[in-house]
Amino acid sequence: MKIDFNKNQDGLIPAIIQDATTKNVLMLGYMNEEAFGVTQETKKVTFFSRSKQRLWTKGEESGNFLILVDFKVDCDNDSLLIKVKPQGPTCHTGSDTCWNETNESSFGFLSELEGIIASRKSNIANDESYVASLFRKGINKIAQKVGEEAVETVIEAKDDNDDLFLYESADLLFHYLILLQAKGFSLKDIEAELRTRKK
């Protein structure tokens, strides 16, 4: 792997900074060959500051360092994807990212679905949806539904109909998300628990 630092006249290439855990993009900086070398040596992401015209380690003033986890070079060998463990907010404004976003895990459509379930839970008095009706019936009914869907999923797992297995699996996951909300938890809590078991 050879990084082409000479592609641009100033010897700089873009470095996209990504949280290694959440996969969120935190910022964009520029590195020359020396900055990249220092980053590899110290494990603290170091850029070439175009305004200061010198090497600049992110966090050297704030203490919010970006700890190097891994890096990749793009297909043209002229930009970097730097995966990091951030130690505090990344942006100088105090935001988690330079796009003023919260650096939290997202589970794609499942996070969107969690939001819908939470919205229906908070409006159970006026919401006529199935989800709201389950919340009105209480934790025992919700837990019972999860148990029923788990049994149906196991039954379909033993048969050869993949469509029915996926259908019941979706039902199980859907009702489990409702149960999590009923207990005051979310997928992020499950993720945190699973991370404690990494060995």
Side-chain angles (χ1 to χ4, degrees):
M1 173 190 58
K2 179 163 174 53
I3 304 170
D4 189 359
F5 287 100
N6 297 316
K7 190 160 192 177
N8 300 312
Q9 288 184 344
D10 57 11
L12 300 177
I13 63 170
I16 300 161
I17 308 302
Q18 180 186 47
D19 187 305
T21 300
T22 67
K23 308 305 180 196
N24 292 323
V25 175
L26 303 178
M27 67 172 290
L28 171 70
Y30 292 88
M31 289 185 174
N32 60 13
E33 194 166 2
E34 185 182 6
F36 182 67
V38 169
T39 297
Q40 286 186 294
E41 182 182 332
T42 65
K43 305 299 183 201
K44 292 179 179 175
V45 175
T46 299
F47 301 102
F48 182 83
S49 170
R50 293 169 298 167
S51 58
K52 299 173 184 175
Q53 285 295 299
R54 66 170 177 84
L55 294 188
W56 166 67
T57 299
K58 179 71 180 90
E60 65 186 28
E61 295 172 7
S62 65
N64 298 328
F65 295 103
L66 299 170
I67 305 303
L68 177 67
V69 173
D70 192 15
F71 69 89
K72 294 180 187 258
V73 182
D74 79 337
C75 57
D76 291 324
N77 299 320
D78 62 359
S79 67
L80 294 165
L81 177 64
I82 309 281
K83 298 183 180 185
V84 303
K85 181 177 180 184
Q87 296 186 323
T90 298
C91 188
H92 70 281
T93 64
S95 178
D96 287 350
T97 79
C98 289
W99 289 270
N100 198 29
E101 295 176 328
T102 303
N103 184 22
E104 293 181 342
S105 294
S106 175
F107 306 99
F109 174 72
L110 292 180
S111 293
E112 184 181 334
L113 184 56
E114 268 193 323
I116 293 168
I117 292 169
S119 171
R120 292 187 176 165
K121 178 186 177 190
S122 67
N123 195 29
I124 58 172
N126 302 312
D127 194 317
E128 295 304 315
S129 69
Y130 170 72
V131 172
S133 73
L134 274 182
F135 281 120
R136 283 193 291 273
K137 291 174 184 173
I139 191 73
N140 289 344
K141 182 62 176 176
I142 296 169
Q144 177 187 338
K145 282 299 294 179
V146 171
E148 291 170 4
E149 298 301 342
V151 169
E152 290 171 10
T153 301
V154 169
I155 291 169
E156 293 305 334
K158 295 164 118 359
D159 291 336
D160 292 328
N161 189 325
D162 290 344
D163 290 338
L164 283 176
F165 171 70
L166 288 175
Y167 184 89
E168 295 301 341
S169 296
D171 275 356
L172 173 58
L173 182 54
F174 175 68
H175 287 90
Y176 178 64
L177 290 175
I178 295 172
L179 180 61
L180 278 177
Q181 291 277 332
K183 294 292 291 180
F185 296 110
S186 72
L187 284 172
K188 289 174 187 170
D189 298 302
I190 301 304
E191 179 193 36
E193 172 60 26
L194 289 172
R195 285 188 182 281
T196 67
R197 303 180 188 186
K198 273 195 329 190
K199 288 186 182 175

mmCIF file of all heavy atoms in Angstrom, residues 28-61:
data_model
loop_
_atom_site.group_PDB
_atom_site.id
_atom_site.type_symbol
_atom_site.label_atom_id
_atom_site.label_comp_id
_atom_site.label_asym_id
_atom_site.label_seq_id
_atom_site.Cartn_x
_atom_site.Cartn_y
_atom_site.Cartn_z
ATOM 1 N N LEU A 28 -13.280 16.120 8.909
ATOM 2 C CA LEU A 28 -12.367 15.982 7.782
ATOM 3 C C LEU A 28 -11.157 16.849 8.061
ATOM 4 O O LEU A 28 -11.296 18.005 8.476
ATOM 5 C CB LEU A 28 -13.043 16.440 6.493
ATOM 6 C CG LEU A 28 -12.136 16.561 5.270
ATOM 7 C CD1 LEU A 28 -11.696 15.194 4.784
ATOM 8 C CD2 LEU A 28 -12.838 17.319 4.155
ATOM 9 N N GLY A 29 -9.970 16.293 7.879
ATOM 10 C CA GLY A 29 -8.736 17.057 8.024
ATOM 11 C C GLY A 29 -7.816 16.732 6.870
ATOM 12 O O GLY A 29 -8.177 15.977 5.960
ATOM 13 N N TYR A 30 -6.625 17.302 6.906
ATOM 14 C CA TYR A 30 -5.645 17.059 5.852
ATOM 15 C C TYR A 30 -4.339 16.593 6.473
ATOM 16 O O TYR A 30 -3.918 17.108 7.513
ATOM 17 C CB TYR A 30 -5.432 18.319 5.009
ATOM 18 C CG TYR A 30 -6.660 18.661 4.203
ATOM 19 C CD1 TYR A 30 -7.669 19.460 4.739
ATOM 20 C CD2 TYR A 30 -6.827 18.143 2.925
ATOM 21 C CE1 TYR A 30 -8.814 19.745 4.005
ATOM 22 C CE2 TYR A 30 -7.970 18.418 2.189
ATOM 23 C CZ TYR A 30 -8.949 19.224 2.735
ATOM 24 O OH TYR A 30 -10.088 19.492 2.016
ATOM 25 N N MET A 31 -3.727 15.638 5.824
ATOM 26 C CA MET A 31 -2.452 15.107 6.301
ATOM 27 C C MET A 31 -1.411 15.199 5.197
ATOM 28 O O MET A 31 -1.728 14.980 4.020
ATOM 29 C CB MET A 31 -2.593 13.639 6.714
ATOM 30 C CG MET A 31 -3.367 13.389 7.970
ATOM 31 S SD MET A 31 -3.319 11.616 8.380
ATOM 32 C CE MET A 31 -4.143 11.639 9.967
ATOM 33 N N ASN A 32 -0.191 15.504 5.605
ATOM 34 C CA ASN A 32 0.935 15.283 4.707
ATOM 35 C C ASN A 32 1.629 14.006 5.193
ATOM 36 O O ASN A 32 1.197 13.384 6.159
ATOM 37 C CB ASN A 32 1.865 16.499 4.646
ATOM 38 C CG ASN A 32 2.449 16.863 5.998
ATOM 39 O OD1 ASN A 32 2.366 16.086 6.962
ATOM 40 N ND2 ASN A 32 3.048 18.038 6.092
ATOM 41 N N GLU A 33 2.714 13.648 4.540
ATOM 42 C CA GLU A 33 3.381 12.394 4.886
ATOM 43 C C GLU A 33 3.897 12.411 6.325
ATOM 44 O O GLU A 33 3.829 11.412 7.032
ATOM 45 C CB GLU A 33 4.535 12.141 3.912
ATOM 46 C CG GLU A 33 5.078 10.742 3.972
ATOM 47 C CD GLU A 33 5.967 10.404 2.786
ATOM 48 O OE1 GLU A 33 6.199 11.267 1.927
ATOM 49 O OE2 GLU A 33 6.429 9.240 2.742
ATOM 50 N N GLU A 34 4.381 13.578 6.755
ATOM 51 C CA GLU A 34 4.905 13.676 8.124
ATOM 52 C C GLU A 34 3.784 13.515 9.152
ATOM 53 O O GLU A 34 3.942 12.809 10.156
ATOM 54 C CB GLU A 34 5.621 15.017 8.317
ATOM 55 C CG GLU A 34 6.283 15.147 9.665
ATOM 56 C CD GLU A 34 6.954 16.501 9.880
ATOM 57 O OE1 GLU A 34 6.813 17.394 9.025
ATOM 58 O OE2 GLU A 34 7.612 16.656 10.932
ATOM 59 N N ALA A 35 2.646 14.152 8.908
ATOM 60 C CA ALA A 35 1.510 14.048 9.836
ATOM 61 C C ALA A 35 1.030 12.606 9.935
ATOM 62 O O ALA A 35 0.709 12.116 11.030
ATOM 63 C CB ALA A 35 0.372 14.953 9.377
ATOM 64 N N PHE A 36 0.995 11.917 8.811
ATOM 65 C CA PHE A 36 0.579 10.523 8.808
ATOM 66 C C PHE A 36 1.570 9.667 9.609
ATOM 67 O O PHE A 36 1.172 8.797 10.382
ATOM 68 C CB PHE A 36 0.459 10.003 7.377
ATOM 69 C CG PHE A 36 -0.019 8.591 7.290
ATOM 70 C CD1 PHE A 36 -1.303 8.247 7.675
ATOM 71 C CD2 PHE A 36 0.824 7.589 6.836
ATOM 72 C CE1 PHE A 36 -1.746 6.928 7.611
ATOM 73 C CE2 PHE A 36 0.392 6.274 6.764
ATOM 74 C CZ PHE A 36 -0.898 5.947 7.144
ATOM 75 N N GLY A 37 2.854 9.952 9.447
ATOM 76 C CA GLY A 37 3.875 9.215 10.194
ATOM 77 C C GLY A 37 3.747 9.425 11.696
ATOM 78 O O GLY A 37 3.847 8.472 12.480
ATOM 79 N N VAL A 38 3.514 10.671 12.103
ATOM 80 C CA VAL A 38 3.347 10.983 13.529
ATOM 81 C C VAL A 38 2.100 10.289 14.074
ATOM 82 O O VAL A 38 2.095 9.763 15.190
ATOM 83 C CB VAL A 38 3.276 12.517 13.752
ATOM 84 C CG1 VAL A 38 2.841 12.852 15.173
ATOM 85 C CG2 VAL A 38 4.614 13.161 13.426
ATOM 86 N N THR A 39 1.032 10.277 13.278
ATOM 87 C CA THR A 39 -0.202 9.604 13.684
ATOM 88 C C THR A 39 0.055 8.125 13.942
ATOM 89 O O THR A 39 -0.378 7.575 14.961
ATOM 90 C CB THR A 39 -1.296 9.769 12.604
ATOM 91 O OG1 THR A 39 -1.613 11.158 12.469
ATOM 92 C CG2 THR A 39 -2.551 8.996 12.947
ATOM 93 N N GLN A 40 0.780 7.480 13.054
ATOM 94 C CA GLN A 40 1.079 6.059 13.230
ATOM 95 C C GLN A 40 1.972 5.820 14.450
ATOM 96 O O GLN A 40 1.782 4.858 15.179
ATOM 97 C CB GLN A 40 1.773 5.511 11.979
ATOM 98 C CG GLN A 40 0.842 5.335 10.798
ATOM 99 C CD GLN A 40 1.549 4.651 9.650
ATOM 100 O OE1 GLN A 40 2.470 5.197 9.067
ATOM 101 N NE2 GLN A 40 1.113 3.448 9.336
ATOM 102 N N GLU A 41 2.900 6.720 14.667
ATOM 103 C CA GLU A 41 3.865 6.539 15.761
ATOM 104 C C GLU A 41 3.235 6.780 17.125
ATOM 105 O O GLU A 41 3.446 6.014 18.063
ATOM 106 C CB GLU A 41 5.044 7.495 15.564
ATOM 107 C CG GLU A 41 6.124 7.361 16.606
ATOM 108 C CD GLU A 41 7.248 8.367 16.387
ATOM 109 O OE1 GLU A 41 7.479 8.783 15.248
ATOM 110 O OE2 GLU A 41 7.897 8.723 17.393
ATOM 111 N N THR A 42 2.452 7.857 17.250
ATOM 112 C CA THR A 42 1.905 8.246 18.555
ATOM 113 C C THR A 42 0.529 7.661 18.825
ATOM 114 O O THR A 42 0.053 7.684 19.962
ATOM 115 C CB THR A 42 1.783 9.778 18.661
ATOM 116 O OG1 THR A 42 0.814 10.232 17.690
ATOM 117 C CG2 THR A 42 3.127 10.455 18.424
ATOM 118 N N LYS A 43 -0.147 7.204 17.763
ATOM 119 C CA LYS A 43 -1.532 6.711 17.836
ATOM 120 C C LYS A 43 -2.522 7.835 18.147
ATOM 121 O O LYS A 43 -3.678 7.580 18.461
ATOM 122 C CB LYS A 43 -1.712 5.581 18.860
ATOM 123 C CG LYS A 43 -0.792 4.397 18.645
ATOM 124 C CD LYS A 43 -1.010 3.751 17.306
ATOM 125 C CE LYS A 43 -0.126 2.528 17.131
ATOM 126 N NZ LYS A 43 0.073 2.161 15.736
ATOM 127 N N LYS A 44 -2.072 9.088 18.051
ATOM 128 C CA LYS A 44 -2.956 10.254 18.181
ATOM 129 C C LYS A 44 -3.016 10.932 16.817
ATOM 130 O O LYS A 44 -1.971 11.275 16.245
ATOM 131 C CB LYS A 44 -2.439 11.229 19.239
ATOM 132 C CG LYS A 44 -2.510 10.663 20.649
ATOM 133 C CD LYS A 44 -1.955 11.646 21.666
ATOM 134 C CE LYS A 44 -2.062 11.060 23.072
ATOM 135 N NZ LYS A 44 -1.427 11.938 24.079
ATOM 136 N N VAL A 45 -4.245 11.107 16.298
ATOM 137 C CA VAL A 45 -4.393 11.632 14.944
ATOM 138 C C VAL A 45 -3.808 13.038 14.866
ATOM 139 O O VAL A 45 -4.142 13.922 15.660
ATOM 140 C CB VAL A 45 -5.872 11.627 14.506
ATOM 141 C CG1 VAL A 45 -6.029 12.287 13.147
ATOM 142 C CG2 VAL A 45 -6.401 10.201 14.472
ATOM 143 N N THR A 46 -2.910 13.204 13.904
ATOM 144 C CA THR A 46 -2.204 14.464 13.692
ATOM 145 C C THR A 46 -2.417 14.903 12.247
ATOM 146 O O THR A 46 -2.289 14.097 11.322
ATOM 147 C CB THR A 46 -0.705 14.298 13.987
ATOM 148 O OG1 THR A 46 -0.558 13.914 15.363
ATOM 149 C CG2 THR A 46 0.054 15.584 13.751
ATOM 150 N N PHE A 47 -2.755 16.160 12.089
ATOM 151 C CA PHE A 47 -3.000 16.735 10.767
ATOM 152 C C PHE A 47 -1.911 17.745 10.435
ATOM 153 O O PHE A 47 -1.120 18.137 11.295
ATOM 154 C CB PHE A 47 -4.353 17.468 10.744
ATOM 155 C CG PHE A 47 -5.522 16.592 11.078
ATOM 156 C CD1 PHE A 47 -6.098 16.632 12.343
ATOM 157 C CD2 PHE A 47 -6.057 15.736 10.135
ATOM 158 C CE1 PHE A 47 -7.179 15.835 12.658
ATOM 159 C CE2 PHE A 47 -7.149 14.929 10.442
ATOM 160 C CZ PHE A 47 -7.706 14.983 11.701
ATOM 161 N N PHE A 48 -1.947 18.199 9.190
ATOM 162 C CA PHE A 48 -1.189 19.408 8.844
ATOM 163 C C PHE A 48 -2.202 20.535 8.799
ATOM 164 O O PHE A 48 -3.144 20.517 8.008
ATOM 165 C CB PHE A 48 -0.487 19.288 7.493
ATOM 166 C CG PHE A 48 0.318 20.512 7.162
ATOM 167 C CD1 PHE A 48 1.598 20.672 7.674
ATOM 168 C CD2 PHE A 48 -0.229 21.526 6.387
ATOM 169 C CE1 PHE A 48 2.330 21.813 7.402
ATOM 170 C CE2 PHE A 48 0.494 22.670 6.113
ATOM 171 C CZ PHE A 48 1.780 22.817 6.614
ATOM 172 N N SER A 49 -2.030 21.508 9.699
ATOM 173 C CA SER A 49 -2.951 22.635 9.765
ATOM 174 C C SER A 49 -2.600 23.642 8.672
ATOM 175 O O SER A 49 -1.501 24.194 8.655
ATOM 176 C CB SER A 49 -2.878 23.304 11.138
ATOM 177 O OG SER A 49 -3.594 24.519 11.122
ATOM 178 N N ARG A 50 -3.537 23.876 7.774
ATOM 179 C CA ARG A 50 -3.294 24.829 6.686
ATOM 180 C C ARG A 50 -3.286 26.259 7.201
ATOM 181 O O ARG A 50 -2.592 27.113 6.662
ATOM 182 C CB ARG A 50 -4.358 24.660 5.596
ATOM 183 C CG ARG A 50 -4.235 23.307 4.885
ATOM 184 C CD ARG A 50 -5.419 23.009 3.995
ATOM 185 N NE ARG A 50 -6.646 22.933 4.783
ATOM 186 C CZ ARG A 50 -7.872 22.938 4.280
ATOM 187 N NH1 ARG A 50 -8.042 23.023 2.979
ATOM 188 N NH2 ARG A 50 -8.926 22.857 5.060
ATOM 189 N N SER A 51 -4.038 26.526 8.271
ATOM 190 C CA SER A 51 -4.063 27.886 8.811
ATOM 191 C C SER A 51 -2.817 28.180 9.646
ATOM 192 O O SER A 51 -2.267 29.271 9.596
ATOM 193 C CB SER A 51 -5.325 28.113 9.647
ATOM 194 O OG SER A 51 -5.389 27.171 10.701
ATOM 195 N N LYS A 52 -2.338 27.176 10.406
ATOM 196 C CA LYS A 52 -1.159 27.372 11.255
ATOM 197 C C LYS A 52 0.141 27.026 10.531
ATOM 198 O O LYS A 52 1.219 27.326 11.023
ATOM 199 C CB LYS A 52 -1.287 26.498 12.518
ATOM 200 C CG LYS A 52 -2.498 26.830 13.370
ATOM 201 C CD LYS A 52 -2.664 25.829 14.507
ATOM 202 C CE LYS A 52 -3.935 26.130 15.294
ATOM 203 N NZ LYS A 52 -4.218 25.138 16.332
ATOM 204 N N GLN A 53 -0.008 26.348 9.393
ATOM 205 C CA GLN A 53 1.154 25.930 8.600
ATOM 206 C C GLN A 53 2.136 25.094 9.419
ATOM 207 O O GLN A 53 3.346 25.301 9.390
ATOM 208 C CB GLN A 53 1.856 27.142 7.968
ATOM 209 C CG GLN A 53 1.106 27.736 6.791
ATOM 210 C CD GLN A 53 1.019 26.772 5.610
ATOM 211 O OE1 GLN A 53 2.037 26.363 5.045
ATOM 212 N NE2 GLN A 53 -0.200 26.379 5.241
ATOM 213 N N ARG A 54 1.567 24.153 10.161
ATOM 214 C CA ARG A 54 2.402 23.250 10.963
ATOM 215 C C ARG A 54 1.606 21.995 11.282
ATOM 216 O O ARG A 54 0.389 21.937 11.071
ATOM 217 C CB ARG A 54 2.849 23.932 12.258
ATOM 218 C CG ARG A 54 1.712 24.244 13.234
ATOM 219 C CD ARG A 54 2.229 24.684 14.597
ATOM 220 N NE ARG A 54 1.179 25.043 15.529
ATOM 221 C CZ ARG A 54 0.505 24.190 16.296
ATOM 222 N NH1 ARG A 54 0.738 22.896 16.222
ATOM 223 N NH2 ARG A 54 -0.409 24.632 17.142
ATOM 224 N N LEU A 55 2.316 20.992 11.817
ATOM 225 C CA LEU A 55 1.611 19.800 12.277
ATOM 226 C C LEU A 55 0.751 20.158 13.482
ATOM 227 O O LEU A 55 1.138 20.986 14.314
ATOM 228 C CB LEU A 55 2.601 18.697 12.668
ATOM 229 C CG LEU A 55 3.441 18.086 11.553
ATOM 230 C CD1 LEU A 55 4.219 16.889 12.086
ATOM 231 C CD2 LEU A 55 2.606 17.675 10.354
ATOM 232 N N TRP A 56 -0.390 19.527 13.557
ATOM 233 C CA TRP A 56 -1.342 19.820 14.636
ATOM 234 C C TRP A 56 -2.012 18.520 15.067
ATOM 235 O O TRP A 56 -2.681 17.868 14.282
ATOM 236 C CB TRP A 56 -2.376 20.825 14.128
ATOM 237 C CG TRP A 56 -3.591 20.974 14.983
ATOM 238 C CD1 TRP A 56 -3.656 21.490 16.244
ATOM 239 C CD2 TRP A 56 -4.937 20.596 14.635
ATOM 240 N NE1 TRP A 56 -4.957 21.453 16.701
ATOM 241 C CE2 TRP A 56 -5.755 20.915 15.734
ATOM 242 C CE3 TRP A 56 -5.515 20.021 13.505
ATOM 243 C CZ2 TRP A 56 -7.123 20.680 15.732
ATOM 244 C CZ3 TRP A 56 -6.880 19.783 13.509
ATOM 245 C CH2 TRP A 56 -7.665 20.116 14.613
ATOM 246 N N THR A 57 -1.781 18.137 16.312
ATOM 247 C CA THR A 57 -2.414 16.945 16.858
ATOM 248 C C THR A 57 -3.771 17.334 17.418
ATOM 249 O O THR A 57 -3.858 18.199 18.294
ATOM 250 C CB THR A 57 -1.547 16.317 17.966
ATOM 251 O OG1 THR A 57 -0.294 15.943 17.412
ATOM 252 C CG2 THR A 57 -2.218 15.087 18.558
ATOM 253 N N LYS A 58 -4.819 16.702 16.900
ATOM 254 C CA LYS A 58 -6.173 16.997 17.380
ATOM 255 C C LYS A 58 -6.238 16.694 18.869
ATOM 256 O O LYS A 58 -5.911 15.595 19.307
ATOM 257 C CB LYS A 58 -7.186 16.133 16.613
ATOM 258 C CG LYS A 58 -8.620 16.342 17.058
ATOM 259 C CD LYS A 58 -9.147 17.684 16.631
ATOM 260 C CE LYS A 58 -10.567 17.899 17.067
ATOM 261 N NZ LYS A 58 -10.715 18.505 18.381
ATOM 262 N N GLY A 59 -6.610 17.704 19.650
ATOM 263 C CA GLY A 59 -6.709 17.536 21.093
ATOM 264 C C GLY A 59 -5.522 18.097 21.844
ATOM 265 O O GLY A 59 -5.501 18.063 23.077
ATOM 266 N N GLU A 60 -4.543 18.647 21.123
ATOM 267 C CA GLU A 60 -3.345 19.143 21.822
ATOM 268 C C GLU A 60 -3.672 20.289 22.766
ATOM 269 O O GLU A 60 -2.959 20.524 23.735
ATOM 270 C CB GLU A 60 -2.255 19.553 20.822
ATOM 271 C CG GLU A 60 -2.595 20.727 19.944
ATOM 272 C CD GLU A 60 -1.544 21.002 18.873
ATOM 273 O OE1 GLU A 60 -0.837 20.062 18.433
ATOM 274 O OE2 GLU A 60 -1.420 22.180 18.481
ATOM 275 N N GLU A 61 -4.747 21.021 22.505
ATOM 276 C CA GLU A 61 -5.165 22.103 23.411
ATOM 277 C C GLU A 61 -6.347 21.681 24.278
ATOM 278 O O GLU A 61 -6.381 21.960 25.468
ATOM 279 C CB GLU A 61 -5.526 23.354 22.602
ATOM 280 C CG GLU A 61 -4.333 23.964 21.868
ATOM 281 C CD GLU A 61 -4.741 25.087 20.932
ATOM 282 O OE1 GLU A 61 -5.928 25.485 20.940
ATOM 283 O OE2 GLU A 61 -3.866 25.560 20.195
#
